[in-house]
Amino acid sequence: MRSLLTLFLTGLCAATALAQQAPPTSRTSGSLTTPFLASRGLVRCGTPEMVSGGWNFNPPSDCSYNSTNPTAAYEPDEIWEITVVFHILRDSNGSGNVTDARCHSQIDILNEDFQAMAGTLGAPGYDTMVQFKLATLDPSGNATTGINRHLNSTWHNDGGGYYNSLAWDPHNYLNIYCNEASGALGYVPYLPQNGSPGSNSDRVVAYWAAVGRNAPIGPPYNQGRTVTHEVGHYLGLHHTFNGGCGSGNCYTSGDRICDTNPEANPNFSCGNSSSCGNSDPISNYMDYTDDVCMNRYTLEQTRRIRCTLQHYRPNLAEPIGGGGLGTSYCQSNLNSRGLMATLTVAGSATVSDNDLTFTVDDAALNQFGYLLMSVNQGNVNNFGGSMGVLCLGSPMIRFSSNVLNTGSAGTVDFSPNLNNLPQGTVFAPGDTWNFQLWYRDVVLNPTSNTTDGISISFQ
Ligand SMILES: [Zn+2]
């Protein structure tokens, strides 16, 4: 139960947050809130747009506050992992809890959305190759769950400068505070281009009831997209309706991104809407639409995010390789070497490039195998007497003309000709296919095993 004082403060802060948003240049219709939010004294997002004067303007780059130059230099080629610490700031009466399970599910949602994982709500998006994990070590090197908890009514009400007491070095950790968020579903105090990244105040703040999957706030804000949206700001993205329809060059006005249509106002539901002569980008995480209809960051937003990490948060993300394409899913079982074979892919997801190379590691030695593929995923343990897991559904297609051998290292590299696939298969842009290697193994008797599965969305 939120106190009257809280509601009063919330109203003040909500008004402040709204006042800080630069009004769209053209506002033809719509409202900046909904009955759902208004009845709870909430605003959708409290992240301020640029406040003139008084703020530090960080050095120019290809992703400065006012412009974007999304060159291919920022195209993701390896996974960058960000370490997250949650600070759960409950009221002294105990309200405002976020369970460990909800924190874990929020990390899952961030990864589903930022990596456009197949089979999730975020699948239609562009894979930013930014990954999130809960901290396992605190700043002193001690083991941690990555979730800190405090009972403090002032902090719960987003006051008292809690971050000066609680922040884990914001150069190295993404600090997410869960409290009343000053009457917004969430906010960041500034975009890194327009503030002080690395200072104690550098953070994401989320309304505690909107954190995690099936969060207690209920529909339409209960699928964790508030944090996806705020982390977008934290990584340098503007609202898609920033500056309304903009003024000419889409890299220097509006949201400083050209592959998101400009829109005059935020959209608050899943209904199709148009403004500025285009359909509105209602599926973009940086609009204000319902959690269930948001499903993408775009290619240019991805490049702005990667540029922001390089220029304004250089110590935050750790490169962890995984330079390949696709999304791994469905683990297999240990083989005769006591290892779980893995399948990765490098090259291009653009079909016309005809540039895919599959790599198998940790397979059994000197055995033959085949690559398998299907449009459907599966998960059948010990299928047909195999030691492995079949990660593909029917209908399944075997690259039977390409018998592979794992050799003395238990590895395989295979580059199929995409212009001559088995059974006349043709990959089309927009298709998603799933792949897995089946290979012979011997444990007393001949058997077989498999790699994990990998899913590729073609362009
Ligand atoms: Zn926002």
Side-chain angles (χ1 to χ4, degrees):
M1 183 65 71
R2 304 167 75 203
S3 70
L4 285 176
L5 177 62
T6 305
L7 287 171
F8 174 71
L9 289 172
T10 293
L12 277 183
C13 293
T16 304
L18 276 179
Q20 287 173 337
Q21 289 176 355
T25 55
S26 166
R27 181 175 299 163
T28 53
S29 64
S31 147
L32 287 177
T33 190
T34 67
F36 179 96
L37 292 170
S39 68
R40 291 161 176 77
L42 292 165
V43 294
R44 183 73 174 80
C45 171
T47 298
E49 290 299 348
M50 181 175 61
V51 176
S52 59
W55 281 25
N56 172 37
F57 279 81
N58 288 316
S61 72
D62 286 329
C63 47
S64 68
Y65 192 85
N66 286 317
S67 68
T68 307
N69 178 27
T71 72
Y74 302 107
E75 182 63 16
D77 58 359
E78 62 180 340
I79 294 174
W80 290 353
E81 188 171 67
I82 294 175
T83 301
V84 176
V85 54
F86 280 97
H87 307 275
I88 313 301
L89 310 182
R90 295 165 71 180
D91 201 338
S92 58
N93 68 13
S95 70
N97 191 30
V98 181
T99 62
D100 286 1
R102 277 170 56 207
C103 292
H104 295 154
S105 72
Q106 185 63 65
I107 295 289
D108 290 344
I109 291 163
L110 285 170
N111 287 325
E112 292 166 8
D113 292 351
F114 278 82
Q115 297 190 7
M117 287 186 173
T120 73
L121 275 180
Y126 200 81
D127 182 359
T128 68
M129 295 186 78
V130 174
Q131 183 161 299
F132 300 85
K133 69 161 186 179
L134 271 178
T136 55
L137 295 175
D138 71 12
S140 302
N142 300 312
T144 175
T145 62
I147 303 171
N148 299 323
R149 300 178 175 283
H150 303 276
L151 288 176
N152 182 313
S153 296
T154 303
W155 292 355
H156 177 69
N157 288 314
D158 207 31
Y162 50 85
Y163 40 83
N164 286 319
S165 303
L166 303 179
W168 288 11
D169 186 354
H171 290 291
N172 298 313
Y173 294 90
L174 163 52
N175 286 263
I176 300 180
Y177 297 87
C178 303
N179 63 9
E180 293 284 331
S182 284
L185 289 186
Y187 72 90
V188 300
Y190 40 73
L191 267 58
Q193 288 87 343
N194 182 219
S196 303
S199 67
N200 282 340
S201 63
D202 185 12
R203 67 200 190 278
V204 166
V205 185
Y207 179 42
W208 64 272
V211 173
R213 209 185 305 276
N214 301 320
I217 190 173
Y221 303 119
N222 65 340
Q223 294 304 316
R225 263 56 191 278
T226 292
V227 174
T228 297
H229 173 106
E230 298 305 335
V231 173
H233 286 312
Y234 175 85
L235 297 177
L237 298 183
H238 295 279
H239 289 130
T240 47
F241 50 85
N242 184 58
C245 296
S247 54
N249 187 334
C250 44
Y251 290 129
T252 57
S253 71
D255 66 354
R256 278 75 178 176
I257 292 290
C258 289
D259 67 358
T260 56
N261 283 346
E263 56 183 344
N265 291 301
N267 278 282
F268 281 92
S269 69
C270 295
N272 288 323
S273 175
S274 60
S275 61
C276 310
N278 303 287
S279 58
D280 290 342
I282 60 166
S283 61
N284 198 279
Y285 296 122
M286 299 316 291
D287 201 348
Y288 275 1
T289 48
D290 296 348
D291 278 12
V292 293
C293 49
M294 293 179 154
N295 59 28
R296 71 192 63 214
Y297 286 123
T298 65
L299 179 152
E300 290 184 354
Q301 286 176 318
T302 292
R303 292 179 178 180
R304 185 173 165 92
I305 285 170
R306 306 273 298 195
C307 174
T308 298
L309 280 164
Q310 279 188 34
H311 288 275
Y312 302 106
R313 300 192 179 283
N315 299 313
L316 182 68
E318 180 186 1
I320 59 167
L325 301 168
T327 304
S328 296
Y329 72 98
C330 173
Q331 287 194 340
S332 189
N333 294 321
L334 300 183
N335 58 27
S336 58
R337 299 172 64 198
L339 300 173
M340 200 179 297
T342 59
L343 180 66
T344 54
V345 193
S348 169
T350 301
V351 177
S352 58
D353 290 348
N354 192 13
D355 175 22
L356 275 189
T357 299
F358 291 87
T359 298
V360 177
D361 288 298
D362 296 336
L365 305 181
N366 297 308
Q367 297 290 352
F368 73 96
Y370 300 97
L371 189 70
L372 310 173
M373 66 178 177
S374 173
V375 293
N376 296 308
Q377 297 185 357
N379 195 322
V380 183
N381 196 27
N382 300 137
F383 62 103
S386 174
M387 292 173 63
V389 176
L390 183 63
C391 299
L392 304 176
S394 298
M396 198 160 52
I397 296 172
R398 188 173 70 168
F399 285 75
S400 50
S401 299
N402 303 98
V403 182
L404 307 171
N405 195 290
T406 60
S408 58
T411 62
V412 173
D413 282 330
F414 175 46
S415 301
N417 180 358
L418 303 191
N419 297 318
N420 185 21
L421 293 166
Q423 298 183 25
T425 302
V426 174
F427 296 154
D431 285 351
T432 296
W433 283 82
N434 306 288
F435 301 85
Q436 181 176 35
L437 186 89
W438 174 96
Y439 63 93
R440 176 64 72 206
D441 200 357
V442 178
V443 180
L444 298 179
N445 295 304
T447 176
S448 67
N449 210 315
T450 55
T451 63
D452 54 354
I454 194 160
S455 173
I456 303 175
S457 296
F458 289 101
Q459 297 160 7

